[in-house]
Amino acid sequence: MTLLRHTPAGEIKEREALVINPAKTCQPIGAMYASLGIHGALPHSHGSQGCCSYHRSTLTRHYKDPVMASTSSFTEGSAVFGGQANLLTAIQTIFSVYDPKVIAIHTTCLSETIGDDMVQIRKKAFDDGKVPDGKLIIYGNTPSYVGTHVTGYANMVKGIVRDLVKASETKGEHLAVIPGWVEPCDMREIKRYLNVLGVPFVMFPDTDGVFDAPMTGKHVFYPKGGAKVEDIATAGAAKASLSLGRVATLLGSEELSKTFGVEGDVVDLPIGLAATDRMIESLIKTYGLTVAESINDERGKLVDLLSDMEQYLWGKKVAIFGDPDQLIPLTEFLKTMGMDVRHIVTGTEGNYIRDRLTEINPTANLKVGGDMFLLHQWMKNEPVDLLIGNTYGKYMARDEDVPFLRFGFPILDRQGHQHFPTVGYMGGIRLVEQILNLLMDRIDRDVEEHKMELQM
Amino acid sequence: MIEHRPDAATAKQELTAKYPSKLAKKRGQQMVANKVEDGNVVPEVLANSRTAPGIITQRGCTYAGCKGVILGPTRDIVNITHGPIGCGFYSWLTRRNMTDPGPDGENYMLYSFSSDLHENEIVFGGEKKLEAAVREANELFHPKAISIFSTCPVGLIGDDVHAVARKMKEELGINVFGFSCEGYKGVSQSAGHHIANNQVFKHIVGLDDQVRGQKKFRVNLLGEYNIGGDAFEIEELFKRCGFELVATFSGNSTYGQFANAQTADLNMVMCHRSINYVAEMMEKKYGIPWIKVNFVSANATAKSLIKMAEYFEDAELLARTKAICEEELAKVEVMRKKYAARTHGKSVVLFVGGSRAHHYQELFKELEMKVLAAGYEFAHRDDYEGRKVLPTIKVDADSRNIEELHVEKDEALYRAYLSERKERLEAEGYTFSDYAGMMPEMDTDSLVIDDISSYETEKLIELWKPDVFCAGIKEKFVIQKMGIPCKQLHNYDVGGPYNAFRGAVNFYRDIDRMANSPVWKLTLASWQEESVESASPVLEPALA
Ligand code: SF4
Ligand code: SF4
């Protein structure tokens, strides 16, 4: 019995209209995630309440933690006459009931189609005295018929830079760090690197301490974590910027350079050996630093693990799907392990993504702007030893009897992703460990009884 | 448990104190201290009213109610979301509707289909792309039917999903129909239930008129969505008693069952909110009477089964049903006693759905727990106060934009003997077409709140410290951070089934675990407690 029993193998017909089992979702959820990386911010969804409900539910299911966000609750009337009145009422209600430091508004397909002008409505809110002293409103344009959840993150990051960073004549010594869409623990890990290397920095967004709040018997509406508005403001005085993951951070990085004259590198997310090396090389370039012994040791441990276990990894076929900033370094890392990445699907489109993935892995089946239905068809035609992707991959994995590593967003059915980083060298070690566990469990399950090995 | 809870009226004041005055006034009408007077008269509550912009609400959208709730559990219809990718993505597999297609039955529930509108279609129109998507779906899957769901931007750009559906129906020779369920159409999911049911009724019910299986005791179950396998439990009981289940709307359902539903002799309404209009329409058109049932809780299950059996005026059926209920109730009672000993006197509040906040109170009664407060996320006044208020409900703009189907008697298919039976039974005191609502069954001075907000949720917990809170995923972890276990009643926290007899025992077990789990006593270390009493918490042993 199979679950996805209607997915045919054999000849694959190109579809031009129907998406089946998307490998992406829409912009606002990315904007919501980025907004929550500002301390004291309340994300606000400008549209009907359904979108906001869905985004909160999905983030909640991924993190098992509170996710707060308000909505303009459009009526049919606002859909026709514009959402300005709703948004102004919302702003007033939000400040009096939830008292955030910042309201971070993102638009939806609905408000964008009507053409609500965020610049003007925001100005009107201030002019009408709806914004108490010292409080802020920022926005990102995130129509869901453009881009994906990843570009939604990028658009809100751009909004954070545009609306919260302050210009400065004089430059400081600190680095403005924009991490892409990674887990709170990944942001924490990147901060650890910067601290160990002695690089002064401001990081935003920063969801560390937001989606992994401790249990205290109280609900803290604005959790401890998140980048502070005062700190974000100083990014305009940064010596340089470092952005991790091009698709999610380029807009923010460009805004920093264009508006505030802060230049910097945009490198891959530090997933795996080579990408982490490149992040550190960028820091060396900017700060001329000597890499701490402890970091070199961590790197050495990762290489040691790879060399010890290489026989289990070599030549194993892999299929992966997910977000481009993760897929690019992950594919590279899998190749470092000697694995054969056969099928790659990302829902987010872009020439850069296609070019990078083709360059790293020219022989794979690659679809940029594809869906999981296609990936599944590929897996049926050319089976793999390992599938990597978000929770929705579990149905394909079960049907095809393939070991499955949950990686990316969303992960709805496992825990750990919010606590244990996969970036940096230690993150690389965790990834290798997880992959080995899957492959070795498979061997232990399938091997003939007389060949069962105690040591592997 | 806390000793002194402020009374409902005081709590209500505290809950709205911080609101701007206009909002406070409106919320005031949506919260009432319950008072049950003679003839089950209860105070009026404002319901099915717009959520104020800026408020963090439990509610979702019309599309979610239409595609997610009603059509979601139907396994052999290809459901295409027409819109940008998000709406289709989020409604994919997140509602835990179970289905059993058998080894090679059709099952599209695990797939998410979307026309994935991009910017140029928003500018130039998406109908062509939708047509192509329907064609592609047909070519790949050859389903019996394809349905199309409009999302917000589709409504705005004016794509006519119904015209596309008609055209595709003609072209492909299969049933294709659409839903105008744009998210902004209603105040909550409720509008979506209505839109969905209307179309199912219009486009499927009545298409197949063959009476198969046994010719007597044929029933439909309306408003049961098979979360966590609830419908499986009920289906098995029906079989044992001797009822033939023609269709469930829409748990574990198929297209063919809907098409054949008009051949049943009795409709039972489980979730009154989401589907009472289908029962009404089927009665008007085909003469099938309906009764309100409830399979949440052991006693309610027995009562409902016996009422069903009585309807058929068959001594053997009634005797068998009674015997099964007796046997099952005896088994349940042993377990109930065991668990109630551990939950007795504890308190609960329920804020969820449009019928569940009522139905689950029965189970808590069986656990001897006290219901302090309850309310719905998307109910209307009749769900609170009972159907007798229906004529007094004002129609506003939001209700007006949902199509009312004008149903007439189907001269060929109307079965007069069913209405005659109804009259005869009514004369004997049997009640049809009635639902008394949630409030008459709640204590006087309990607090009833419609469309509770996250802020009010937190306040209520601070004031009343219930032992268990029932809500949904968005509220769950807020509540639990406050040290109170939260039972999700939309998706059961991956638990269930909770319906019928075995389900009731599952629920007892889960609530006992939640209310008595040692984890809630571990929140603070000895050095974090304000008044340090004992260094380490005393853990109660788990129930064997
Ligand atoms: S509110 Fe509209 S756009 Fe948002 S999820 Fe619902 S249908 Fe989709
Ligand atoms: S039982 Fe409740 S939650 Fe379920 S469909 Fe009905 S109203 Fe919705």
Side-chain angles (χ1 to χ4, degrees):
Chain A
M1 247 199 287
T2 49
L3 294 162
L4 299 163
R5 56 184 62 177
H6 304 287
T7 306
E11 195 208 334
I12 295 173
K13 286 205 187 99
E14 277 271 340
R15 279 165 284 128
E16 53 178 67
L18 186 68
V19 165
I20 313 172
N21 299 354
K24 62 172 180 181
T25 182
C26 62
Q27 289 213 70
I29 195 172
M32 189 179 282
Y33 182 64
S35 306
L36 287 163
I38 309 168
H39 180 75
L42 184 69
H44 179 81
S45 164
H46 186 47
S48 329
Q49 66 208 15
C51 315
C52 185
S53 169
Y54 275 143
H55 304 147
R56 288 178 62 209
S57 296
T58 304
L59 285 170
T60 305
R61 289 189 175 111
H62 180 81
Y63 286 115
K64 322 283 183 229
D65 240 26
V67 176
M68 286 302 166
S70 53
T71 156
S72 292
S73 291
F74 270 35
T75 55
E76 186 143 53
S78 15
V80 178
F81 301 113
Q84 171 166 308
N86 280 49
L87 187 48
L88 291 174
T89 313
I91 288 169
Q92 192 177 15
T93 304
I94 290 165
F95 280 126
S96 57
V97 181
Y98 305 107
D99 193 32
K101 173 101 185 131
V102 185
I103 300 179
I105 304 169
H106 56 264
T107 56
T108 59
C109 48
L110 185 51
S111 52
E112 285 285 336
T113 310
I114 308 169
D116 279 353
D117 180 353
M118 286 303 114
V119 179
Q120 182 251 321
I121 299 178
R122 178 169 176 259
K123 182 169 176 300
K124 190 159 168 48
F126 277 97
D127 292 349
D128 292 359
K130 295 211 174 345
V131 187
D133 277 353
K135 304 284 181 177
L136 299 161
I137 297 178
I138 71 172
Y139 71 92
N141 288 98
T142 50
S144 38
Y145 47 78
V146 178
T148 66
H149 58 295
V150 186
T151 57
Y153 180 97
N155 278 321
M156 184 47 83
V157 170
K158 180 182 170 180
I160 294 173
V161 175
R162 183 191 55 225
D163 299 331
L164 294 182
V165 172
K166 294 232 158 69
S168 168
E169 295 286 298
T170 53
K171 294 287 168 208
E173 264 309 296
H174 58 292
L175 184 70
V177 181
I178 307 180
W181 187 337
V182 287
E183 295 291 333
C185 54
D186 292 321
M187 301 201 186
R188 184 161 63 242
E189 182 70 352
I190 293 162
K191 289 189 285 186
R192 182 178 71 88
Y193 270 71
L194 295 166
N195 286 327
V196 170
L197 293 167
V199 174
F201 66 90
V202 47
M203 177 189 279
F204 61 88
D206 179 3
T207 57
D208 172 20
V210 176
F211 290 101
D212 49 358
M215 165 90 166
T216 60
K218 290 197 187 79
H219 170 232
V220 184
F221 197 90
Y222 301 107
K224 262 190 245 173
K228 299 218 164 52
V229 170
E230 311 84 79
D231 294 340
I232 298 172
T234 68
K239 176 186 170 83
S241 70
L242 175 62
S243 303
L244 308 173
R246 189 173 196 269
V247 181
T249 65
L250 186 66
L251 286 178
S253 156
E254 280 176 352
E255 188 74 20
L256 264 180
S257 115
K258 256 194 319 210
T259 312
F260 303 101
V262 178
E263 305 292 340
D265 284 346
V266 180
V267 299
D268 290 327
L269 282 174
I271 294 170
L273 190 73
T276 305
D277 285 354
R278 289 197 295 274
M279 177 181 78
I280 293 177
E281 280 156 12
S282 168
L283 293 170
I284 295 172
K285 191 183 78 186
T286 311
Y287 285 95
L289 50 82
T290 316
V291 176
E293 187 74 12
S294 65
I295 300 251
N296 288 334
D297 286 351
E298 287 178 19
R299 185 182 190 281
K301 287 175 199 198
L302 171 56
V303 181
D304 188 55
L305 175 65
L306 287 176
S307 63
D308 290 348
M309 293 291 121
E310 170 243 13
Q311 59 169 323
Y312 292 99
L313 301 163
W314 178 262
K316 288 282 181 299
K317 292 194 176 75
V318 191
I320 58 177
F321 66 94
D323 299 334
D325 287 338
Q326 274 85 3
L327 282 187
I328 290 167
L330 186 61
T331 301
E332 184 186 41
F333 189 37
L334 294 168
K335 298 264 297 189
T336 309
M337 293 181 216
M339 299 181 94
D340 173 11
V341 184
R342 291 309 321 137
H343 315 299
I344 309 175
V345 164
T346 174
T348 306
E349 290 177 57
N351 291 336
Y352 166 78
I353 303 164
R354 184 175 299 106
D355 294 347
R356 275 303 300 281
L357 284 166
T358 313
E359 179 189 301
I360 294 168
N361 198 345
T363 55
N365 287 317
L366 169 69
K367 180 89 181 183
V368 174
D371 58 27
M372 284 186 215
F373 187 79
L374 172 68
L375 181 71
H376 195 178
Q377 289 185 295
W378 280 344
M379 283 167 61
K380 281 181 181 295
N381 289 342
E382 201 176 340
V384 293
D385 303 299
L386 178 69
L387 173 67
I388 303 179
N390 69 37
T391 284
Y392 287 91
K394 74 194 268 179
Y395 298 86
M396 300 187 279
R398 181 171 148 140
D399 276 358
E400 305 309 320
D401 193 19
V402 176
F404 176 41
L405 173 63
R406 285 162 182 79
F407 185 87
F409 178 84
I411 295 172
L412 308 172
D413 61 340
R414 291 294 188 275
Q415 289 295 289
H417 51 89
Q418 63 275 73
H419 299 302
F420 307 115
T422 55
V423 298
Y425 303 122
M426 294 310 288
I429 288 176
R430 177 161 182 255
L431 279 173
V432 177
E433 181 226 358
Q434 288 179 319
I435 291 173
L436 282 169
N437 284 348
L438 287 165
L439 297 176
M440 289 172 162
D441 281 350
R442 169 49 61 96
I443 296 171
D444 281 341
R445 192 194 82 180
D446 292 348
V447 76
E448 290 161 82
E449 282 177 13
H450 62 277
K451 287 188 180 159
M452 186 73 172
E453 304 274 9
L454 178 68
Q455 52 177 356
M456 292 178 93
Chain B
M1 254 190 288
I2 55 170
E3 295 304 312
H4 301 291
R5 293 193 172 94
D7 67 8
T10 317
K12 178 178 158 174
Q13 261 168 14
E14 294 259 350
L15 259 47
T16 53
K18 210 175 171 183
Y19 287 151
S21 57
K22 229 173 95 186
L23 179 59
K25 188 165 163 240
K26 183 172 179 199
R27 290 301 298 152
Q29 296 171 295
Q30 292 172 286
M31 297 179 191
V32 298
N34 194 34
K35 189 161 183 234
V36 190
E37 296 184 273
D38 288 351
N40 279 342
V41 175
V42 291
E44 182 175 331
V45 57
L46 175 63
N48 193 36
S49 167
R50 281 275 161 194
T51 303
I55 285 297
I56 301 177
T57 165
Q58 295 187 338
R59 283 172 165 172
C61 65
T62 305
Y63 163 84
C66 181
K67 196 259 178 182
V69 175
I70 307 294
L71 272 296
T74 302
R75 64 172 170 264
D76 54 0
I77 300 177
V78 166
N79 291 322
I80 301 178
T81 299
H82 185 39
I85 201 68
C87 319
F89 178 86
Y90 302 113
S91 56
W92 179 21
L93 289 173
T94 43
R95 227 180 106 81
R96 293 194 73 232
N97 306 112
M98 298 195 173
T99 199
D100 181 9
D104 359 81
E106 277 170 273
N107 182 13
Y108 304 111
M109 276 169 59
L110 304 176
Y111 294 88
S112 160
F113 303 97
S114 171
S115 60
D116 186 22
L117 290 189
H118 285 53
E119 190 160 23
N120 57 326
E121 286 108 26
I122 295 295
V123 178
F124 299 109
E127 290 183 9
K128 283 274 157 301
K129 191 172 190 190
L130 177 60
E131 282 177 15
V134 173
R135 265 185 220 112
E136 286 172 355
N138 184 56
E139 215 171 293
L140 273 167
F141 304 105
H142 311 291
K144 296 183 179 73
I146 296 177
S147 66
I148 305 162
F149 301 84
S150 295
T151 59
C152 290
V154 163
L156 278 186
I157 63 176
D159 277 4
D160 185 346
V161 296
H162 306 288
V164 172
R166 279 193 299 272
K167 181 170 170 196
M168 288 296 110
K169 185 175 178 174
E170 185 104 324
E171 180 182 317
L172 305 175
I174 59 165
N175 201 352
V176 186
F177 44 94
F179 300 86
S180 294
C181 56
E182 294 86 348
Y184 57 75
K185 270 255 164 100
V187 309
S188 68
Q189 294 94 315
S190 170
H193 305 151
H194 201 156
I195 292 165
N197 283 318
N198 278 352
Q199 297 298 81
V200 168
F201 189 77
K202 222 158 85 173
H203 293 280
I204 318 179
V205 174
L207 290 182
D208 167 13
D209 215 38
Q210 280 186 62
V211 177
R212 300 184 192 78
Q214 71 189 46
K215 305 268 190 291
K216 42 185 193 172
F217 319 142
R218 295 169 59 85
V219 297
N220 294 321
L221 181 58
L222 271 47
E224 159 49 49
Y225 302 103
N226 203 21
I227 308 293
D230 279 346
F232 295 150
E233 286 297 313
I234 304 173
E235 282 167 21
E236 198 204 298
L237 264 180
F238 285 180
K239 231 180 248 155
R240 273 175 69 196
C241 296
F243 301 106
E244 170 120 1
L245 181 64
V246 183
T248 301
F249 288 68
S250 52
N252 191 31
S253 59
T254 63
Y255 179 81
Q257 288 164 2
F258 290 155
N260 194 232
Q262 76 289 353
T263 65
D265 299 327
L266 175 67
N267 277 331
M268 283 108 52
V269 172
M270 178 82 174
C271 171
H272 176 262
R273 177 64 269 136
S274 58
I275 206 157
N276 66 80
Y277 13 77
V278 171
E280 291 286 313
M281 292 189 293
M282 297 225 316
E283 177 154 14
K284 245 196 201 149
K285 191 163 177 183
Y286 306 111
I288 309 170
W290 71 270
I291 56 171
K292 174 78 176 71
V293 293
N294 180 16
F295 295 102
V296 183
S297 109
N299 290 320
T301 301
K303 252 172 52 192
S304 298
L305 284 174
I306 291 168
K307 183 155 187 186
M308 285 166 64
E310 283 168 348
Y311 169 81
F312 287 102
E313 302 176 303
D314 181 285
E316 208 179 303
L317 174 74
L318 185 61
R320 188 168 52 238
T321 305
K322 280 186 169 164
I324 289 170
C325 290
E326 216 166 288
E327 180 195 329
E328 292 296 329
L329 281 176
K331 279 195 267 176
V332 172
E333 182 57 15
V334 177
M335 302 306 281
R336 189 198 69 80
K337 274 214 186 100
K338 183 168 146 180
Y339 289 108
R342 297 164 54 89
T343 50
H344 174 84
K346 291 190 186 288
S347 61
V348 60
V349 299
L350 309 87
F351 289 98
V352 62
S355 283
R356 286 178 196 251
H358 180 193
H359 289 160
Y360 277 80
Q361 292 188 32
E362 298 265 351
L363 274 172
F364 285 110
K365 250 181 239 158
E366 291 173 0
L367 284 166
E368 298 171 22
M369 289 171 70
K370 186 172 171 56
V371 179
L372 301 174
Y376 295 130
E377 176 180 345
F378 44 75
H380 302 205
R381 273 183 63 204
D382 42 324
D383 303 297
Y384 286 103
E385 303 166 50
R387 283 180 73 87
K388 60 176 173 295
V389 303
L390 274 174
T392 66
I393 295 179
K394 289 184 210 79
V395 179
D396 60 10
D398 286 317
S399 339
R400 211 170 291 128
N401 66 25
I402 297 161
E403 183 191 18
E404 274 298 330
L405 293 190
H406 293 288
V407 177
E408 304 212 346
K409 196 173 187 173
D410 183 319
E411 294 299 343
L413 298 177
Y414 192 91
R415 279 166 295 154
Y417 65 90
L418 293 178
S419 13
E420 282 153 23
R421 181 190 296 168
K422 177 179 171 182
E423 265 172 49
R424 188 167 62 239
L425 284 167
E426 261 177 340
E428 290 166 16
Y430 190 105
T431 46
F432 288 95
S433 319
D434 193 31
Y435 175 49
M438 175 176 86
M439 288 162 70
E441 291 193 359
M442 287 178 69
D443 287 350
T444 287
D445 258 338
S446 53
L447 187 57
V448 174
I449 307 180
D450 184 58
D451 183 24
I452 193 170
S453 73
S454 73
Y455 170 74
E456 292 154 6
T457 300
E458 277 182 58
K459 269 274 167 226
L460 193 70
I461 293 175
E462 276 167 27
L463 290 173
W464 280 4
K465 301 215 171 25
D467 293 293
V468 176
F469 201 114
C470 299
I473 183 74
K474 299 192 291 290
E475 299 81 44
K476 181 177 173 81
F477 299 102
V478 175
I479 295 159
Q480 297 201 160
K481 281 282 192 286
M482 299 176 86
I484 311 281
C486 173
K487 184 71 195 162
Q488 291 188 70
L489 284 189
H490 292 288
N491 85 343
Y492 297 169
D493 296 306
V494 199
Y498 292 143
N499 275 7
F501 301 110
R502 275 188 308 213
V505 176
N506 280 343
F507 193 76
Y508 303 156
R509 190 186 306 115
D510 284 355
I511 294 300
D512 165 46
R513 166 180 53 75
M514 297 183 82
N516 292 308
S517 168
V519 73
W520 306 108
K521 300 189 179 80
L522 304 172
T523 307
L524 297 178
S526 60
W527 60 90
Q528 293 173 301
E529 310 262 5
E530 274 165 33
S531 61
V532 185
E533 277 169 15
S534 66
S536 51
V538 185
L539 305 185
E540 281 177 38
L543 186 67

